[in-house]
Amino acid sequence: MKPFLPLSTVDQLAAYLRMEILDGRANGGMPGVLRLKRELGVGSKTVVAALELLKREGLLEAGGKRRRNRVMSQRAQKRSGLNIHVLLYEKLDAHNELIVRLVSELEHRGHRVFHAPKSLSELKFDVARVTRMVEKSDADAWIVQAGSRPVLEWFSTREVPTFALFGRQSKLPIASLATVKSPAMSQALRKLADLGHHRMVLLVREERRKPVPGLLETRILKEMANLGIKTGPYNLPDWEDHAEGFHRCLQALFRHTPPTALLISEPDLFFSAQQFLLQQGFVVPRDVSLLCLQDHPSFEWFHPQVAHVFNDTKRWIPRVSQWAENIAKGKEDRRETLFPGTFVEGGTIGPAKG
């Protein structure tokens, strides 16, 4: 089932007018603002905003001062939108709030958005499998969520435009978006060290560890070393990339030399670790401190708040939408966009036990 997304009055009016255009009931000139306001019972600002949205989608063309907006021909309409395929990290990410909002915005702009038949996890991040799937598609452009380095390197060599939504995209000739977390993590690590933590463990997915640790992971380990912590496999453990493998890793960590702080790369792993600690009788932060390297909407409901790296997601979707608009207009867009992360010192970190 497609995720439900509540629509604003502007979105509802735009959807109504869009169907009038696509079904052929509105052709030639679109009625003016005053007439639409009177006939549909909505405010002038709502009408203007809905018409502007349809112009951006390529369904309407401005008619000039005191002239009605013109409905674009079906041929022009078809040419304006893209077939955008989204290659998800995991199948469940189709319900991720960011992905849902992104798909909705792109569709509102006149693009046709499809999820790839299989996710990166299902394809085992295997470039050969990704190649076979991609070459069977009719995509005009791709959005790849949290891609591994080999996968994104392959996409960067293709003619079909690709946007890397996070992942190991640094320095590649590919449009991308990422959060700069190193300064926030340095601040967090110094705080933990001041609280007496010397057994810190970083838990990240396999594609962030192999074939070599990613840039962020390398900088975190280097910062630990700068703080006088001897680093090795204990601080960045290897584990099988599934739920059972993650829990086996946690069991091994807490069997002999329990860490005093866990630095966890994403909310799903954070929640899983919380459940494990609860089942084992550990209390956060009395027995172990927790820090999540990503933000999550549910963190607002935690009291005290989860210690995490905050990302301003409001700026992400406009960047991807602008990339799609540029591609639709035939403009090349391979710009890397970086947003700063902020360390939020929540109640899940405290003094090291003992």
Side-chain angles (χ1 to χ4, degrees):
M1 180 179 293
K2 189 174 182 179
F4 170 71
L5 188 68
L7 298 178
S8 66
T9 305
V10 172
D11 290 331
Q12 293 180 56
L13 177 58
Y16 171 80
L17 295 176
R18 188 183 298 111
M19 290 307 300
E20 292 290 298
I21 294 171
L22 296 177
D23 290 345
R25 291 187 292 271
N27 51 63
M30 174 65 69
V33 173
L34 293 179
R35 180 178 166 185
L36 290 172
K37 172 186 175 182
R38 183 175 62 253
E39 292 184 358
L40 301 178
V42 292
S44 299
K45 291 184 178 179
T46 300
V47 174
V48 171
L51 294 175
E52 286 300 316
L53 184 58
L54 296 178
K55 289 176 190 175
R56 292 199 300 270
E57 294 176 8
L59 296 175
L60 289 179
E61 183 181 33
K65 189 175 181 179
R66 295 188 180 181
R67 299 184 65 181
R68 294 192 299 171
N69 294 307
R70 293 189 296 273
V71 176
M72 299 291 285
S73 67
Q74 289 189 358
R75 182 178 179 183
Q77 291 171 22
K78 290 178 181 177
R79 187 174 63 248
S80 64
L82 298 171
N83 280 335
I84 300 176
H85 289 217
V86 181
L87 180 51
L88 298 171
Y89 179 85
E90 292 180 317
K91 210 71 169 174
L92 286 175
D93 285 321
H95 302 278
N96 178 290
E97 182 192 22
L98 172 64
I99 299 298
V100 172
R101 285 165 46 206
L102 176 59
V103 170
S104 177
E105 175 64 19
L106 291 172
E107 289 179 341
H108 284 171
R109 288 175 175 264
H111 305 294
R112 296 161 294 282
V113 185
F114 308 91
H115 293 309
K118 291 187 177 182
S119 68
L120 284 169
S121 297
E122 290 172 307
L123 295 167
K124 307 296 184 184
F125 292 87
D126 183 83
V127 174
R129 296 184 183 185
V130 172
T131 302
R132 287 193 292 270
M133 185 187 72
V134 169
E135 289 181 346
K136 292 179 182 177
S137 76
D138 62 347
D140 299 316
W142 282 86
I143 296 174
V144 181
Q145 180 200 9
S148 65
R149 187 70 178 188
V151 167
L152 292 179
E153 284 178 343
W154 179 80
F155 271 103
S156 71
T157 64
R158 302 181 70 249
E159 292 184 4
V160 177
T162 301
F163 193 100
L165 191 62
F166 315 118
R168 298 184 65 170
Q169 85 306 334
S170 180
K171 309 296 183 183
L172 288 177
I174 189 173
S176 62
L177 183 155
T179 302
V180 179
K181 299 178 182 178
S182 296
M185 286 305 302
S186 294
Q187 184 183 355
L189 291 168
R190 289 194 297 270
K191 176 65 179 180
L192 288 167
D194 289 343
L195 291 170
H197 291 275
H198 295 284
R199 297 198 303 275
M200 302 185 213
V201 172
L202 177 60
L203 296 169
V204 301
R205 298 275 196 159
E206 184 176 13
E207 71 277 1
R208 300 295 311 181
R209 305 189 306 267
K210 298 178 179 178
V212 293
L215 184 61
L216 176 63
E217 289 72 24
T218 300
R219 288 179 175 173
I220 289 174
L221 293 174
K222 184 176 180 180
E223 183 65 28
M224 287 184 187
N226 291 338
L227 293 169
I229 300 171
K230 185 178 179 179
T231 60
Y234 172 82
N235 305 97
L236 185 63
D238 197 16
W239 49 278
E240 296 175 80
D241 201 359
H242 48 67
E244 293 79 7
F246 184 61
H247 275 258
R248 283 197 293 269
C249 175
L250 291 172
Q251 289 168 354
L253 284 170
F254 284 87
R255 186 174 296 126
H256 301 298
T257 311
T260 60
L262 295 178
L263 317 177
I264 305 174
S265 63
E266 59 191 75
D268 289 347
L269 300 183
F270 183 89
F271 298 138
S272 181
Q274 271 193 319
Q275 181 196 37
F276 169 84
L277 295 171
L278 181 64
Q279 290 174 338
Q280 299 299 317
F282 292 101
V283 177
V284 177
R286 186 194 68 189
D287 300 316
V288 59
S289 291
L290 296 181
L291 170 69
C292 189
L293 276 62
Q294 288 186 22
D295 197 0
H296 192 274
S298 65
F299 287 170
E300 296 181 5
W301 290 90
F302 280 65
H303 185 74
Q305 193 172 20
V306 171
H308 66 279
V309 176
F310 171 74
N311 313 301
D312 187 3
T313 59
K314 293 179 182 178
R315 300 166 65 186
W316 294 351
I317 292 176
R319 168 63 187 117
V320 184
S321 298
Q322 184 58 57
W323 165 79
E325 295 297 295
N326 289 339
I327 300 304
K329 294 175 182 176
K331 298 180 181 178
E332 185 177 90
D333 186 345
R334 294 176 179 262
R335 180 163 54 94
E336 179 184 34
T337 305
L338 302 175
F339 295 113
T342 305
F343 170 50
V344 176
E345 185 183 336
T348 56
I349 61 174
K353 189 173 183 179

